[in-house]
Amino acid sequence: MKKGEQVTIHDIAKALGIDSSTVSRALNNSTRVSKTTKQKILDKATELGYQRNTLASNLRTNKTNTIGVIVPRISRNFFSSVISGIEETAQKAGYNVIICQSFEDFEKEQKLMETLLSNRVDGVLISISMQTETFDHLMPYLNHGGPIVFYDRPCYIENCSSISVDDYKASFMATEHLIENGCKNIVHFSGPQINPLYKNRKRGYVDALKKHGLNFNENYCLESKLSENDGIVFAKEIIKMGHIDGIYSSNDTAAIAAIQYLKSKGVNIPKDIAVVGFNNDPISSVIEPSLTTINQPDFEMGKTAASLLIQQIQDTSFKKTSKVLDVELIVRQSSQHKKV
Amino acid sequence: MKKGEQVTIHDIAKALGIDSSTVSRALNNSTRVSKTTKQKILDKATELGYQRNTLASNLRTNKTNTIGVIVPRISRNFFSSVISGIEETAQKAGYNVIICQSFEDFEKEQKLMETLLSNRVDGVLISISMQTETFDHLMPYLNHGGPIVFYDRPCYIENCSSISVDDYKASFMATEHLIENGCKNIVHFSGPQINPLYKNRKRGYVDALKKHGLNFNENYCLESKLSENDGIVFAKEIIKMGHIDGIYSSNDTAAIAAIQYLKSKGVNIPKDIAVVGFNNDPISSVIEPSLTTINQPDFEMGKTAASLLIQQIQDTSFKKTSKVLDVELIVRQSSQHKKV
DNA sequence: TTTAAAAATACAATCGATTGTATTTTTAAA
DNA sequence: TTTAAAAATACAATCGATTGTATTTTTAAA
């Protein structure tokens, strides 16, 4: 940005022979400026091509009207839908949104928090990375009085709102669905147990087994970061195990990778092994057999998260709340095992 | 952000009984401050939990070390890969990245440009929306001296660098591939012709037909925004047309939607109709039959775009350039028509 | 020990907008 | 026409950091 070309309120003031404070008030549509003057100022502003310097304004008013969003990866469908929800709500309330990717990396997440604090965003929405095990990097921001709301991946920090999905129930439903379809030896693809989200999903899986008199085998719970490659690795293990007839995966990515690998090895899905995923990625309806999965209200989660955060920004006495949204089991072909 | 909690360089200065200018210089590691003083200042800074106020700094130095990225939709795989490339290069050069979605909406794009100008980002990377037909909304930013680099969707504005893919060649290859596989009546799914990108793709399609002595039928060129729904609408038209044996789609989304619809109507892909897409979305390798498509160097495009922009930011005499990256035809099952 | 040069630090203005207070102008009642 | 109240505008300080210039302190040569 070339310096010489910046038009400021002082230029407008000088051009009209008035004070810059009046210009400022006019541009903010204050009642303290007469209509005639206001019009003159507005006209001159467009004439000179004035554009408010938000940096200066933000510095003075001590707020940025900006919320920062930390997301593990924007490329995942679930997250990009959440972001759309956030943007919609934020825009309506007059807030800008800065989107940052942590790439599931703790150090990157730390740096992003620093940048957001340094840029004095009014609030932060964060879905913590899978690597994150401590929360010290959030404290400077919280100590400066900045509100944080957790979405998708809950995180129990005092005074922070969070919004998530009923992972336990979803998992229970998914596992029970496999059992009802005749599966007896169900493997679970799980994520890092440090995260309550994956813990809850595991609990749901275990409890569903228990309810139906199937005993839980710790070896059947395969933990990873649920990447495509993890799905393939797990599929290989499953073939080695030999007698597995069901897979409940904590995300679609790993489930789909596993299905493709198993199919390539001549395993019939769902006749030999039934599969249920999690997320309802677009790809899940395209793969053959189409994948039974859990649909989350992603867009709504984004809207709710943004709305909780904005309430906290605007009303510091706002009581912190935790919201849990409901999910839906989408039954497709991959789970039609051997229905009696 | 609560006001009372802000620690400034003045607090550090007061605590140490020195001047704030010295504190500022120390924090910026200037040679004008002695090692002992520097250490004292750094220690006090961490003790007080000081975090630089970037707003103030940016206002004073008249740069933000931030580049703005306008992208039609982050959820599209191609764009999220481009963004990853941008972030990597930007981070290495010490720039922050603000990601904004236009959702292919012109008005939204206008607003985003205003916000970016207002926030005085040092440069802008933009892939213009499909709705965009005029470029007046870019002028205020350009007039303020801010550099803009176009990526993916070229846009010929004086003094602006751009980086794109050889769409003509890609299209020619794709169409020729269908012809070589025995297709005689090839439909082209095209995008808005206002955009050179889709124009070039159409040209490639037309020229490939010509080269192989097939005559070009304007009715075979179906124009839309290439959404999922557009793909279905086109598929219906194709069934009506009756004698189509090949589809070359300007993106995978429409191609895949069309394949699914055609399959549901009993059309055999690729025996009855062969299909080639564009983008190499992850879904293209999962659908059955797997989709022959064009792979673009998305990550590299992001890196190159960021690097071009940063060069322009740092060296105003930098000569504007247009780069064209090469593409690759990924042959899969959907195009195996009736190879002789 | 004196003194000039170099190093370190302080002073003061500035970036562009906002805002509490003071002053001037306008309005309307007396 | 006078005058008090209201409206409009100007003045001046401020947000937090940076930076050119001035001053002080330190270093090292004479």
Side-chain angles (χ1 to χ4, degrees):
Chain A
M1 197 83 46
K2 268 181 251 150
K3 195 180 165 182
E5 324 236 2
Q6 299 235 20
V7 179
T8 72
I9 53 170
H10 304 288
D11 298 320
I12 298 174
K14 203 176 289 172
L16 295 172
I18 57 178
D19 192 81
S20 58
S21 62
T22 304
V23 175
S24 171
R25 288 195 168 93
L27 293 171
N28 287 310
N29 204 21
S30 157
T31 51
R32 278 175 60 175
V33 182
S34 69
K35 269 184 198 153
T36 8
T37 316
K38 232 178 237 181
Q39 196 52 55
K40 270 195 280 180
I41 291 171
L42 256 42
D43 290 347
K44 185 59 79 178
T46 41
E47 184 197 323
L48 299 178
Y50 171 79
Q51 286 287 138
R52 168 193 265 112
N53 186 322
T54 307
L55 300 173
S57 174
N58 290 348
L59 173 62
R60 184 62 231 267
T61 58
N62 204 33
K63 57 184 171 154
T64 54
N65 289 309
T66 300
I67 65 184
V69 179
I70 297 184
V71 72
R73 270 212 154 77
I74 56 172
S75 60
R76 283 195 215 124
N77 189 264
F78 169 73
F79 287 122
S80 57
S81 297
V82 173
I83 290 172
S84 297
I86 292 171
E87 287 197 329
E88 187 178 292
T89 299
Q91 203 197 338
K92 275 186 194 155
Y95 285 84
N96 291 318
V97 174
I98 294 184
I99 305 163
C100 312
Q101 303 189 70
S102 68
F103 295 104
E104 304 283 10
D105 181 86
F106 178 63
E107 280 187 32
K108 179 95 212 229
E109 186 174 293
Q110 277 185 307
K111 276 193 194 153
L112 289 175
M113 278 308 301
E114 272 181 35
T115 306
L116 291 177
L117 168 51
S118 193
N119 280 286
R120 300 293 191 269
V121 295
D122 292 341
V124 170
L125 291 171
I126 182 170
S127 190
I128 53 171
S129 94
M130 283 203 198
Q131 272 190 16
T132 302
E133 307 193 356
T134 61
F135 305 103
D136 296 343
H137 61 308
L138 306 178
M139 298 323 289
Y141 187 73
L142 288 169
N143 290 337
H144 273 74
I148 296 182
V149 170
F150 297 95
Y151 67 93
D152 186 43
R153 302 182 184 169
C155 172
Y156 306 111
I157 288 190
E158 216 187 344
N159 273 332
C160 287
S161 294
S162 75
I163 170 136
S164 59
V165 126
D166 194 338
D167 289 296
Y168 173 83
K169 188 178 149 198
S171 240
F172 194 96
M173 274 163 62
T175 311
E176 190 162 49
H177 172 74
L178 283 171
I179 297 170
E180 284 168 352
N181 275 272
C183 299
K184 304 271 184 221
N185 295 292
I186 302 168
V187 154
H188 175 43
F189 295 177
S190 183
Q193 293 299 305
I194 181 75
N195 196 306
L197 181 150
Y198 294 111
K199 250 190 198 156
N200 289 336
R201 290 193 190 165
K202 186 174 172 183
R203 274 204 305 119
Y205 157 76
V206 172
D207 284 4
L209 293 181
K210 272 190 202 151
K211 178 185 167 190
H212 291 271
L214 297 174
N215 67 325
F216 164 61
N217 181 339
E218 187 65 65
N219 296 329
Y220 283 7
C221 186
L222 307 171
E223 196 181 319
S224 75
K225 284 183 188 156
L226 300 166
S227 70
E228 217 172 301
N229 192 51
D230 292 324
I232 294 170
V233 170
F234 289 168
K236 285 180 187 166
E237 282 187 48
I238 285 171
I239 289 179
K240 261 192 226 150
M241 291 178 182
H243 54 292
I244 300 303
D245 56 9
I247 298 173
Y248 160 51
S249 170
S250 269
N251 77 10
D252 285 350
T253 309
I256 286 167
I259 288 178
Q260 290 201 293
Y261 182 83
L262 291 171
K263 272 174 68 180
S264 78
K265 294 295 169 192
V267 176
N268 184 309
I269 313 288
K271 294 272 171 289
D272 300 330
I273 300 181
V275 183
V276 175
F278 206 113
N279 274 0
N280 195 22
D281 286 344
I283 208 167
S284 66
S285 65
V286 167
I287 191 178
E288 297 193 16
S290 55
L291 180 65
T292 296
T293 187
I294 299 284
N295 184 55
Q296 304 175 81
D298 37 28
F299 189 76
E300 197 194 328
M301 182 181 280
K303 288 208 295 182
T304 315
S307 139
L308 275 175
L309 184 68
I310 291 168
Q311 284 178 70
Q312 245 180 84
I313 291 170
Q314 298 179 341
D315 171 16
T316 34
S317 70
F318 181 75
K319 212 176 132 230
K320 314 308 182 288
T321 46
S322 290
K323 285 206 184 179
V324 175
L325 300 178
D326 226 343
V327 295
E328 182 190 9
L329 178 71
I330 309 227
V331 177
R332 297 205 185 97
Q333 295 161 13
S334 70
S335 58
Q336 312 299 321
H337 188 50
K338 30 184 165 177
K339 196 119 186 177
V340 192
Chain B
M1 196 85 42
K2 267 182 251 150
K3 197 181 163 180
E5 325 234 2
Q6 298 235 21
V7 179
T8 72
I9 53 171
H10 303 288
D11 298 320
I12 299 175
K14 203 176 287 174
L16 295 172
I18 59 178
D19 192 82
S20 58
S21 62
T22 304
V23 176
S24 171
R25 287 198 168 91
L27 293 171
N28 287 310
N29 205 21
S30 156
T31 50
R32 280 173 61 174
V33 182
S34 70
K35 269 183 198 154
T36 8
T37 316
K38 233 179 237 181
Q39 196 53 55
K40 269 195 282 181
I41 290 171
L42 256 42
D43 290 347
K44 187 56 80 177
T46 42
E47 183 197 324
L48 298 179
Y50 171 79
Q51 286 287 139
R52 168 193 265 114
N53 185 323
T54 307
L55 299 173
S57 175
N58 290 348
L59 173 62
R60 184 62 231 267
T61 57
N62 204 33
K63 57 184 172 155
T64 54
N65 289 309
T66 301
I67 65 184
V69 179
I70 297 184
V71 73
R73 269 212 154 75
I74 56 172
S75 61
R76 283 194 215 125
N77 190 263
F78 169 75
F79 286 122
S80 58
S81 297
V82 172
I83 290 172
S84 297
I86 292 171
E87 287 197 329
E88 189 178 291
T89 299
Q91 203 197 339
K92 275 186 194 155
Y95 286 84
N96 292 318
V97 174
I98 294 185
I99 304 163
C100 312
Q101 303 188 71
S102 69
F103 294 104
E104 305 282 12
D105 181 86
F106 178 64
E107 280 187 33
K108 180 94 210 227
E109 187 175 291
Q110 278 185 305
K111 276 193 194 154
L112 290 175
M113 277 309 301
E114 273 182 35
T115 306
L116 291 178
L117 167 51
S118 191
N119 280 286
R120 301 293 192 267
V121 295
D122 292 342
V124 170
L125 291 172
I126 183 170
S127 190
I128 53 171
S129 94
M130 284 202 198
Q131 271 189 19
T132 302
E133 307 192 356
T134 61
F135 304 104
D136 296 343
H137 60 308
L138 306 178
M139 298 323 290
Y141 188 73
L142 288 169
N143 291 337
H144 274 73
I148 297 181
V149 170
F150 297 95
Y151 67 93
D152 186 42
R153 303 181 182 168
C155 173
Y156 306 111
I157 288 189
E158 216 188 343
N159 274 332
C160 286
S161 294
S162 75
I163 170 135
S164 58
V165 128
D166 195 338
D167 289 295
Y168 174 83
K169 187 177 151 201
S171 240
F172 194 97
M173 274 163 64
T175 312
E176 189 161 52
H177 172 73
L178 282 171
I179 296 170
E180 283 167 352
N181 276 273
C183 298
K184 301 273 182 220
N185 295 292
I186 303 168
V187 154
H188 175 43
F189 294 177
S190 183
Q193 293 299 307
I194 182 75
N195 197 305
L197 181 150
Y198 293 111
K199 251 191 199 157
N200 290 336
R201 289 193 191 165
K202 185 174 170 182
R203 274 203 306 121
Y205 157 74
V206 173
D207 285 3
L209 292 182
K210 272 190 201 152
K211 178 184 167 193
H212 291 272
L214 297 175
N215 66 324
F216 164 62
N217 180 339
E218 186 65 64
N219 296 329
Y220 283 7
C221 185
L222 306 172
E223 195 181 322
S224 74
K225 285 185 186 153
L226 300 167
S227 70
E228 219 174 299
N229 192 51
D230 292 324
I232 294 170
V233 171
F234 288 168
K236 285 180 188 168
E237 281 188 47
I238 284 170
I239 288 179
K240 263 193 226 149
M241 291 179 182
H243 55 292
I244 301 302
D245 57 8
I247 299 174
Y248 161 50
S249 170
S250 269
N251 79 8
D252 285 351
T253 309
I256 286 167
I259 288 178
Q260 290 201 293
Y261 182 82
L262 291 170
K263 272 174 69 180
S264 78
K265 295 295 169 190
V267 178
N268 184 309
I269 313 286
K271 292 274 171 287
D272 300 329
I273 301 181
V275 183
V276 175
F278 206 113
N279 273 1
N280 195 23
D281 285 343
I283 208 168
S284 66
S285 65
V286 168
I287 191 178
E288 296 189 17
S290 56
L291 181 65
T292 296
T293 188
I294 299 284
N295 184 53
Q296 305 176 78
D298 38 28
F299 189 76
E300 198 194 329
M301 182 181 281
K303 288 208 294 183
T304 316
S307 140
L308 276 176
L309 184 68
I310 290 168
Q311 284 178 70
Q312 243 180 85
I313 291 170
Q314 297 178 343
D315 170 15
T316 34
S317 69
F318 180 76
K319 211 176 133 230
K320 314 307 181 291
T321 45
S322 290
K323 286 206 184 180
V324 175
L325 300 177
D326 226 344
V327 295
E328 182 190 9
L329 178 71
I330 308 221
V331 177
R332 297 206 185 95
Q333 295 161 13
S334 69
S335 58
Q336 313 297 320
H337 188 49
K338 30 184 166 177
K339 195 117 186 176
V340 194

